Amino acid sequence: YRGCTLVQPLVNGKKMKTNQIIHGKVFPTLVKFALPVMLALFLQALYGAVDMWVVGRYAETADVSGVSTGSMLIQTVTMIISGLSVGVTVLVGRRIGQEEYDLAARAIGGGIFIFSILAIIFTSVSLLLPQQIATLMNAPSEAFDQTVQYITICGGGFVFIIAYNLLGSIFRGIGDSKTPLLTVAIACLINIPADVLFVKVLHMGAAGAAYATVMAQAVSVLISLLIIKKKNLPFKFRIRMVKPRKSVILTELRLGVPIAFQELLVGISFLVIMAIVNDIDVNSSAGVGVSEKVCAFIMLVPSAFSQSMSAFVAQNIGAQKTDRAQKALICGILTSFSCGIIMFYLAFFHGDMLCGIFSKEADVILRGHSYLKAYAIDCLLTPFLFCFIGYFSGLGKTTFVMLQGITGAFLVRIPIVYLISRIKGCTLFQIGLATPCSTSVQIILCLIMLIFVTKTMKNKKVNI
């Protein structure tokens, strides 16, 4: 049935629905696909924000700083896993677009094998070296123990964090963005009451927030596996498919490793920023942590379109429909930028109100708003950068995605933060300006790459 738009294939003895990602109208199909992704990101940000809100209201500033510093590490690892999962998303999406369903199943098996190894590595490191990690992150002395506790407990639950990201990447590749929404909704419903129980009722502080997060992720993954087992997939998948097939694993690593490496280095750049801020005082540390939770919400739309773009583009490139991939890029940028204007206004002019949701300390709120103003500027830039990243990832140009990310992190963001931090009396707003500066440089690189890729696609087909 390859390339046939009139005949619907029979998979597992059932007629499959027409693939709207390949055959439907671009804008409504992209938005329809991106909306569940955005809602999933919202709920994921929500249960992370609940940790900060409950700790900020019912624990000490040291606990807030501990959650802030520890969650920065967890976020970095999650970014690495999410980046590596792009390889699975793109390969599965490309095979679905080519209607090679057996190969798509093998791609999923290879992804499960890779991520199982990673779960063992990350869990072992976080359980064996939590104090050393907290020291490297320059955790404030007042919050050092809380940071160690948070890293140890959340690190022990890395297997569930990794499983969640893998499941999401698989279903986005298939073209199903609703199942990941369901899994994170389950986690959110469990995390909120668990936070209240452990932090407010049992007075466990940062450790309580960590236990709530791990518990929510664990139950979410287990229930999700039961749901997925009953779903009608476009192929047959058996546990024996989880094996190290050389060609599959090498392809997924070729696509995913550059993204993961970029996310690692970008995460390190933000950890450097956190370490510099931690050296100021505990209130600045807490302020940055509070503003980072707000950022998770104001960046929802471009983040959703970035993830959706990679799957959308991968399937259409697999079906050799490059014009639809290009239209998706334009639609994603325009939609994200429209929302970015609203987010800029809220973050820049009402950031104190937003930070006040997560802290009761006036000085923490003031410093958080100062840092958030810089991110407000970034709200006008990330719609371009994030959509470009999703587009190039879908094309398989992940090495470029890595290079532009490294350039922004190590040639722009870190040097600017270091230079500004040397200025006596520098503010968190000035330190935060390193982020939009980095984004601007990355956008310029993406525009240059876009011109090159567009010319190339006119002359030959894009292949994996």
Side-chain angles (χ1 to χ4, degrees):
Y1 301 113
R2 181 182 293 186
C4 181
T5 59
L6 299 178
V7 180
Q8 294 175 332
L10 292 175
V11 180
N12 295 340
K14 299 180 181 179
K15 183 184 290 186
M16 300 302 295
K17 296 180 179 179
T18 301
N19 190 339
Q20 292 298 311
I21 289 180
I22 297 175
H23 303 297
K25 292 183 178 180
V26 173
F27 179 70
T29 302
L30 178 62
V31 172
K32 186 177 180 180
F33 186 80
L35 186 58
V37 177
M38 184 177 68
L39 291 175
L41 290 173
F42 170 80
L43 291 176
Q44 192 171 3
L46 181 62
Y47 75 70
V50 168
D51 287 348
M52 186 65 74
W53 184 84
V54 174
V55 172
R57 294 290 171 179
Y58 303 108
E60 303 299 324
T61 301
D63 290 295
V64 176
S65 177
V67 173
S68 172
T69 305
S71 62
M72 187 72 75
L73 173 69
I74 305 303
Q75 179 182 340
T76 299
V77 174
T78 302
M79 288 168 61
I80 296 170
I81 297 302
S82 179
L84 193 60
S85 70
V86 170
V88 180
T89 297
V90 173
L91 186 57
V92 172
R94 190 69 61 88
R95 299 314 179 210
I96 293 293
Q98 295 170 337
E99 297 182 5
E100 296 176 335
Y101 299 108
D102 288 340
L103 294 181
R106 293 181 182 181
I108 291 174
I112 293 175
F113 179 83
I114 294 172
F115 279 75
S116 298
I117 300 299
L118 288 175
I120 296 173
I121 294 174
F122 283 121
T123 301
S124 299
V125 171
S126 61
L127 291 179
L128 295 174
L129 304 171
Q131 293 183 334
Q132 290 84 344
I133 295 173
T135 301
L136 286 174
M137 296 180 68
N138 200 23
S141 57
E142 306 95 318
F144 188 85
D145 292 340
Q146 291 87 339
T147 303
V148 170
Q149 290 176 346
Y150 193 89
I151 292 172
T152 302
I153 297 168
C154 285
F158 268 142
V159 61
F160 304 112
I161 296 174
I162 290 173
Y164 167 77
N165 281 277
L166 175 61
L167 291 172
S169 69
I170 290 171
F171 279 94
R172 282 192 296 273
I174 293 172
D176 176 6
S177 58
K178 294 180 181 179
T179 299
L181 171 61
L182 179 61
T183 63
V184 74
I186 294 171
C188 190
L189 290 174
I190 295 172
N191 185 68
I192 293 175
D195 264 323
V196 174
L197 173 63
F198 290 137
V199 179
K200 181 182 179 180
V201 178
L202 299 180
H203 307 290
M204 296 176 65
Y211 278 122
T213 296
V214 172
M215 178 187 296
Q217 290 277 8
V219 177
S220 170
V221 169
L222 293 176
I223 294 178
S224 299
L225 290 174
L226 295 176
I227 295 174
I228 291 168
K229 188 176 181 180
K230 298 181 180 180
K231 290 184 69 68
N232 178 34
L233 301 176
F235 46 75
K236 290 183 178 180
F237 183 80
R238 297 289 183 268
I239 193 65
R240 64 175 179 271
M241 293 180 175
V242 181
K243 59 176 64 175
R245 288 186 174 88
K246 184 178 179 180
S247 60
V248 172
I249 290 180
L250 288 179
T251 300
E252 290 179 338
L253 291 177
R254 176 172 63 83
L255 293 169
V257 167
I259 301 290
F261 188 64
Q262 180 235 196
E263 296 289 3
L264 169 63
L265 297 181
V266 169
I268 289 175
S269 72
F270 282 105
L271 290 175
V272 170
I273 294 175
M274 177 58 75
I276 291 173
V277 171
N278 283 343
D279 200 40
I280 299 175
D281 56 46
V282 70
N283 282 347
S284 294
S285 173
V288 170
V290 165
S291 64
E292 289 289 350
K293 294 302 180 184
V294 175
C295 289
F297 289 97
I298 64 178
M299 297 295 180
L300 279 175
V301 175
S303 296
F305 273 96
S306 179
Q307 291 190 18
S308 304
M309 192 75 65
S310 60
F312 193 97
V313 170
Q315 286 204 24
N316 279 283
I317 291 299
Q320 297 299 331
K321 296 189 176 184
T322 58
D323 56 328
R324 290 176 58 81
Q326 293 168 342
K327 289 179 181 178
L329 174 63
I330 296 173
C331 292
I333 289 175
L334 292 177
T335 306
S336 300
F337 184 72
S338 299
C339 297
I341 295 174
I342 299 174
M343 294 300 103
F344 164 80
Y345 173 79
L346 290 174
F348 196 90
F349 296 104
H350 300 286
D352 53 343
M353 177 187 68
L354 299 176
C355 291
I357 297 174
F358 302 106
S359 179
K360 58 187 177 182
E361 301 291 336
D363 191 38
V364 172
I365 294 173
L366 179 65
R367 300 188 190 208
H369 185 198
S370 176
Y371 191 71
L372 194 60
K373 284 182 178 180
Y375 268 101
I377 299 173
D378 209 40
C379 287
L380 302 176
L381 302 174
T382 49
F384 297 90
L385 178 61
F386 285 17
C387 287
F388 279 137
I389 289 175
Y391 177 74
F392 291 128
S393 297
L395 291 180
K397 306 295 183 181
T398 53
T399 299
F400 166 75
V401 174
M402 175 187 71
L403 293 175
Q404 63 82 32
I406 293 173
T407 300
F410 285 86
L411 299 184
V412 182
R413 190 180 301 117
I414 290 180
I416 290 178
V417 169
Y418 175 75
L419 291 174
I420 292 177
S421 67
R422 307 294 293 178
I423 300 174
K424 186 177 181 179
C426 68
T427 65
L428 291 184
F429 170 71
Q430 293 171 323
I431 291 176
L433 284 175
T435 297
C437 288
S438 172
T439 303
S440 299
V441 172
Q442 291 172 261
I443 290 174
I444 293 173
L445 295 176
C446 286
L447 288 172
I448 296 173
M449 184 63 175
L450 180 64
I451 295 173
F452 172 77
V453 166
T454 302
K455 290 181 178 180
T456 302
M457 288 196 299
K458 288 181 179 179
N459 299 323
K460 63 181 180 179
K461 294 181 179 180
V462 179
N463 294 308
I464 266 192

